[in-house]
């Protein structure tokens, strides 16, 4: 099992709440940081589903870039538009890299039709009229074909807020989704 | 056979596990070349062709020996090799140094890198010449019959690449040279993408000028070579004149030397040229045929994988025997630059994106003005490199496109 996403596939996906977490996903995340047991789950406890043997340990976070904003201007393919790249340090308290891709996937995939996710590569791609944003799990954010500097920054901050929310949301609020 | 694991030990850049698929832009440098460059700086750091003391003689010997090694690589005589900054400078040297008459014609092709295109556009305007561009088919193929209508008694020079840096196709140089020579025209071959990757023999090609860069053939940056066929140096004026290039100077006259030093005014890139000589030796030791075979196998694997990936458009021939190890492609719904960033950030695969300094080709033949993604292989790439590249690309196509 390479990623949290792979492990999530073996969970019951019923979001019944028996374990005390609001969803199977929250249960998994709490399990990975040592705040719940697999035996809390009624499906695993009763034997209805085989208890998975999880050998997953969160990957060590490497910081490949210096934290910085780098402009490439103009956009290499369309000189009238701009490209912006930002590298951000991952938060020290998160053991899962910068963005929690499965959370983003689960919460948003049906709400934002232009959000595309590859959990195994750690890439989220958001297309919009004002520019295309790609967010990488290690903390790099790239926007291409931004109309101008200001709208490109706006687009990046929108994408970041969207994905941030998935990582920092409290379990109760998550269930409201 | 080429032992790729043994080869890889020579390249310090690869030790971090990065996957370098951009050797068409520039190649990596092996230890023997780095050693040779440092040896000059450490042991015989003196100017060439000037001093009489020991170190100066050792430096001159090493520099001239590099010329011998580079000449061997293309089966030329050492005195036919001129060290320049890179292939671009070599082409510019010929373009500005060749004597033209008004109305002379230059023939080039749509496949060319900007470096073998815009110097001719410029002399066309400054010297009132005619420039004719031979168009290829959609896959980049050019045959001698495509050239025939363009070459006539007014043609002064035919400038053509031996390997396209976008499509990997190889125009038939020998036949083109024959056509040109029959009409009394000169032939310049851009060997930037061919000399590092296959056996090139100037006698066999019968070209008049051959240009190539050191940095694309495992050598240092900042040095390249221009081959001028014996006897033709009289036709070409040097780009720069000054120290090291003269035979005699008086108050109101100067007389240039003959031979390569005529073109190498000023202190040349000594360490770089010595490194380029070491690189030529390194490649010849491995064997150009072995390198070509190795690249062909990798190219076949890459082409097969790309054909089996959804949404991929491959430019150029789909047959590995008809192209060098350079493959340009596009992924549907993706800008080429985004594909390159995704490959690099997620899997450490380095590829080039954009128009690869060949805008006319992208605009008029490939109809892809936004450019393409280009992956290219060299002697140090492995099957595993190609597989990681393909797997990542397949996941990008599946989940993100």
């Amino acid at each position: 099992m390479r990623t949290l996403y792979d492990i999530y596939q073996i969970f019951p996906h019923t979001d019944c709440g028996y374990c005390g977490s609001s969803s199977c996903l929250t249960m998994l995340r709490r399990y990975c940081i040592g705040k719940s047991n697999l035996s809390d789950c009624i499906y695993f406890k009763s034997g209805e589903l085989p208890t998975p043997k999880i050998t997953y340990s969160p990957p060590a976070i490497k910081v490949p870039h210096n934290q910085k904003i780098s402009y490439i201007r103009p956009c290499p393919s369309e000189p009238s538009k701009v490209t912006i790249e930002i590298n951000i340090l991952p938060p020290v308290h998160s053991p899962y890299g910068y963005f929690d891709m499965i959370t983003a996937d689960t919460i948003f995939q049906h709400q934002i039709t232009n959000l595309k996710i590859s959990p195994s590569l750690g890439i989220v791609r958001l297309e919009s009229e004002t520019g295309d944003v790609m967010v990488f799990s290690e903390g790099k954010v790239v926007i291409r074909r931004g109309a101008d500097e200001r709208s490109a920054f706006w687009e990046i901050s929108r994408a970041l807020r969207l994905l941030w929310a998935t990582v920092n949301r409290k379990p109760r609020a998550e269930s409201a989704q | 056979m080429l032992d790729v694991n043994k080869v890889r030990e020579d390249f310090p850049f690869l030790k971090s596990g990065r996957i370098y698929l951009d050797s068409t832009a520039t190649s990596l440098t092996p230890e023997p070349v780095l050693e040779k460059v440092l040896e000059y700086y450490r042991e015989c750091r003196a100017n060439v062709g000037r001093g009489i003391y020991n170190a100066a003689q050792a430096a001159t010997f090493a520099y001239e020996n590099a010329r011998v090694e580079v000449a061997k690589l293309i089966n030329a005589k050492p005195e036919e090799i001129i060290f320049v900054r890179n292939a671009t400078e070599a082409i510019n040297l010929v373009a500005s140094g060749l004597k033209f008459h008004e109305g002379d014609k230059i023939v080039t092709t749509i496949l060319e890198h900007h470096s073998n295109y815009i110097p001719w556009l410029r002399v066309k305007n400054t010297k009132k010449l005619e420039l004719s561009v031979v168009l290829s088919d959609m896959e980049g193929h050019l045959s001698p019959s495509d050239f025939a209508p363009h070459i006539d008694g007014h043609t002064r020079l035919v400038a053509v690449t031996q390997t396209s840096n976008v499509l990997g196709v190889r125009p038939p140089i020998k036949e083109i040279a024959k056509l040109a020579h029959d009409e009394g025209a000169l032939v310049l071959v851009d060997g930037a993408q061919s000399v590092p990757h296959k056996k090139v023999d100037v006698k066999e090609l019968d070209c008049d000028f051959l240009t190539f860069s050191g940095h694309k053939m495992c050598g240092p940056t900042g040095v390249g070579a221009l081959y001028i066929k014996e006897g033709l140096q009289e036709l070409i004026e040097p780009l720069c004149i000054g120290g090291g290039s003269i035979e005699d100077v008086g108050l109101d006259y100067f007389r240039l030397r003959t031979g390569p030093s005529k073109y190498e005014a000023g202190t040349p890139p000594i360490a770089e040229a010595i490194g380029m000589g070491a690189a030529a030796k390194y490649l010849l030791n491995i064997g150009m045929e072995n390198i070509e075979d190795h690249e062909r196998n990798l190219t076949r694997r890459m082409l097969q994988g790309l054909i089996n990936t959804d949404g991929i458009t491959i430019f150029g021939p789909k047959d590995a025997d008809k192209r060098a190890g350079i493959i340009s492609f596009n992924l549907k719904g993706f800008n080429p630059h985004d594909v390159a960033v995704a490959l690099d950030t997620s899997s450490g695969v380095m590829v080039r994106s954009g128009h690869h300094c060949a805008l006319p080709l992208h605009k008029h033949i490939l109809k892809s003005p936004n450019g393409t993604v280009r992956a290219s292989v060299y002697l140090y790439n492995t099957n595993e490199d190609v597989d990681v590249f393909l797997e990542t690309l397949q996941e990008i196509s599946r989940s993100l496109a």
Side-chain angles (χ1 to χ4, degrees):
Chain A
M1 284 184 281
R2 288 171 60 201
T3 62
L4 278 178
Y5 187 80
D6 296 332
I7 302 168
Y8 181 63
Q9 299 309 314
I10 336 171
F11 272 60
H13 293 202
T14 52
D15 296 344
C16 70
Y18 178 89
C19 61
S21 293
S22 56
S23 66
C24 294
L25 186 66
T26 313
M27 156 81 183
L28 172 63
R29 292 177 61 197
R30 288 171 61 81
Y31 173 78
C32 285
I33 54 173
K35 290 191 174 173
S36 70
N37 294 309
L38 289 180
S39 59
D40 295 343
C41 169
I42 185 71
Y43 290 87
F44 295 147
K45 195 171 154 187
S46 67
E48 192 165 325
L49 282 176
T51 306
K53 281 197 179 62
I54 297 180
T55 50
Y56 176 84
S57 57
I61 296 169
K62 52 176 184 175
V63 183
H65 315 288
N66 294 324
Q67 185 164 17
K68 64 180 180 192
I69 297 175
S70 42
Y71 297 85
I72 305 173
R73 232 192 138 160
C75 195
S77 53
E78 284 174 59
S80 60
K81 298 193 170 174
V82 296
T83 287
I84 294 180
E85 277 187 37
I86 301 181
N87 293 306
I88 335 168
L89 291 170
V92 282
H93 60 269
S94 162
Y96 307 122
Y98 204 79
F99 295 105
D100 184 338
M101 296 298 172
I102 46 167
T103 319
D105 188 12
T106 313
I107 294 176
F108 288 122
Q109 69 175 344
H110 301 300
Q111 295 176 22
I112 306 169
T113 48
N114 55 6
L115 185 76
K116 287 167 182 161
I117 295 169
S118 168
S120 62
L121 297 180
I123 303 177
V124 176
R125 188 170 177 229
L126 261 165
E127 283 175 322
S128 80
E129 284 170 11
T130 46
D132 295 350
V133 184
M134 283 211 287
V135 184
F136 298 86
S137 57
E138 59 178 39
K140 179 153 139 176
V141 187
V142 181
I143 182 160
R144 294 213 187 278
R145 292 175 294 288
D148 53 42
E149 205 176 292
R150 199 176 147 176
S151 75
F153 265 118
W154 189 86
E155 196 60 43
I156 281 186
S157 78
R158 189 179 80 97
L160 285 178
R161 275 203 306 275
L162 212 63
L163 296 163
W164 253 133
T166 69
V167 186
N168 291 336
R169 195 168 299 225
K170 292 201 171 65
R172 274 305 136 204
E174 214 168 59
S175 80
Q177 287 282 328
Chain B
M1 269 298 280
L2 180 151
D3 182 352
V4 70
N5 290 323
K6 197 161 162 282
V7 167
R8 285 173 73 84
E9 283 171 18
D10 291 335
F11 290 84
F13 185 87
L14 295 171
K15 300 228 158 82
S16 58
R18 290 178 277 202
I19 298 177
Y20 188 71
L21 295 179
D22 195 19
S23 298
T24 300
T26 193
S27 65
L28 306 179
T29 318
E31 290 289 1
V33 173
L34 297 171
E35 280 296 315
K36 205 77 190 163
V37 172
L38 283 177
E39 188 187 291
Y40 162 74
Y41 280 117
R42 287 184 178 134
E43 310 292 335
C44 54
R45 181 73 180 82
N47 214 330
V48 293
R50 290 157 170 84
I52 194 105
Y53 45 92
N54 251 339
Q57 285 185 10
T60 307
F61 178 78
Y63 181 72
E64 290 305 325
N65 195 45
R67 201 188 301 281
V68 174
E69 298 291 350
V70 171
K72 264 189 219 161
L73 185 66
I74 58 166
N75 192 25
K77 293 177 187 163
E79 53 274 21
E80 293 173 316
I81 298 293
I82 292 150
F83 282 124
V84 287
R85 210 151 51 89
N86 44 38
T88 303
E89 187 175 277
I91 295 167
N92 273 278
L93 194 158
V94 176
S96 63
L98 186 61
K99 291 179 197 86
F100 289 102
H101 304 289
E102 199 174 320
D104 275 356
K105 199 159 113 179
I106 298 166
V107 176
T108 186
T109 81
I110 192 77
L111 297 180
E112 304 308 317
H113 186 283
H114 293 162
S115 290
N116 197 23
Y117 199 83
I118 60 173
W120 308 118
L121 278 180
R122 185 165 71 172
V123 291
K124 174 201 160 189
N125 295 334
T126 54
K127 297 187 180 169
K128 297 196 173 63
L129 310 177
E130 202 186 312
L131 178 70
S132 154
V133 180
V134 185
L135 299 181
S136 72
D137 67 5
M138 283 292 289
E139 288 199 332
H141 295 301
L142 283 173
S143 68
S145 60
D146 295 325
F147 281 82
H150 295 267
I151 300 173
D152 55 33
H154 295 289
T155 307
R156 182 82 171 109
L157 182 112
V158 179
V160 59
T161 182
Q162 196 176 7
T163 300
S164 155
N165 73 317
V166 178
L167 302 173
V169 287
R170 298 155 168 162
I173 301 295
K174 246 192 292 182
E175 290 77 4
I176 296 166
K178 183 162 188 321
L179 273 175
H181 288 152
D182 286 350
E183 294 289 348
L186 296 164
V187 177
L188 178 141
V189 174
D190 174 5
Q193 301 299 348
S194 58
V195 173
H197 301 275
K198 60 185 285 213
K199 192 168 178 254
V200 174
D201 182 333
V202 287
K203 302 273 182 313
E204 198 189 320
L205 291 178
D206 195 25
C207 58
D208 301 299
F209 311 101
L210 177 76
T211 64
F212 51 107
S213 290
H215 71 95
K216 290 194 205 293
M217 48 171 271
C218 300
T221 57
V223 67
L226 166 63
Y227 157 84
I228 302 183
K229 193 192 266 178
E230 199 172 20
L232 294 182
Q233 286 186 3
E234 290 162 25
L235 298 180
I236 312 284
E237 283 293 313
L239 203 56
C240 289
I241 53 174
S245 67
I246 49 91
E247 200 168 85
D248 188 23
V249 185
L251 269 182
D252 57 354
Y253 71 92
F254 67 87
R255 209 164 49 242
L256 290 176
R257 280 186 190 170
T258 53
S261 55
K262 170 179 166 189
Y263 301 95
E264 295 175 359
T267 296
I270 305 170
E272 289 81 355
I274 291 170
M276 188 176 178
K281 196 172 171 184
Y282 181 82
L283 293 178
L284 283 174
N285 273 345
I286 290 171
M288 296 314 289
E289 284 94 348
N290 292 336
I291 293 172
E292 200 185 350
D293 285 348
H294 178 71
E295 288 180 21
R296 193 181 302 113
N297 290 337
L298 293 172
T299 307
R300 193 169 290 131
R301 195 181 185 92
M302 196 183 275
L303 276 171
Q304 200 52 50
L306 286 172
I307 289 168
N308 294 333
T309 305
D310 286 339
I312 296 281
T313 308
I314 303 171
F315 298 100
K318 313 282 182 291
D319 180 353
D321 294 323
K322 290 186 181 154
R323 65 191 298 161
I326 303 168
I327 304 180
S328 294
F329 62 91
N330 264 333
L331 176 57
K332 199 177 171 199
F334 249 99
N335 183 282
H337 296 293
D338 289 345
V339 177
V341 173
L343 281 167
D344 178 35
T345 311
S346 65
S347 305
V349 176
M350 288 166 258
V351 296
R352 171 82 193 270
S353 55
H355 51 66
H356 321 302
C357 300
L359 265 174
L361 175 66
H362 278 86
K363 283 182 188 164
H364 298 286
I365 302 291
L366 307 183
K367 313 281 184 209
S368 177
N370 276 343
T372 52
V373 188
R374 181 184 70 189
S376 49
V377 294
Y378 204 9
L379 71 166
Y380 36 68
N381 289 118
T382 61
N383 285 338
E384 291 72 37
D385 288 353
V386 174
D387 291 348
V388 172
F389 159 73
L390 289 170
E391 278 160 25
T392 310
L393 196 64
Q394 275 150 11
E395 171 61 16
I396 293 171
S397 160
R398 221 176 7 244
S399 304
L400 298 171

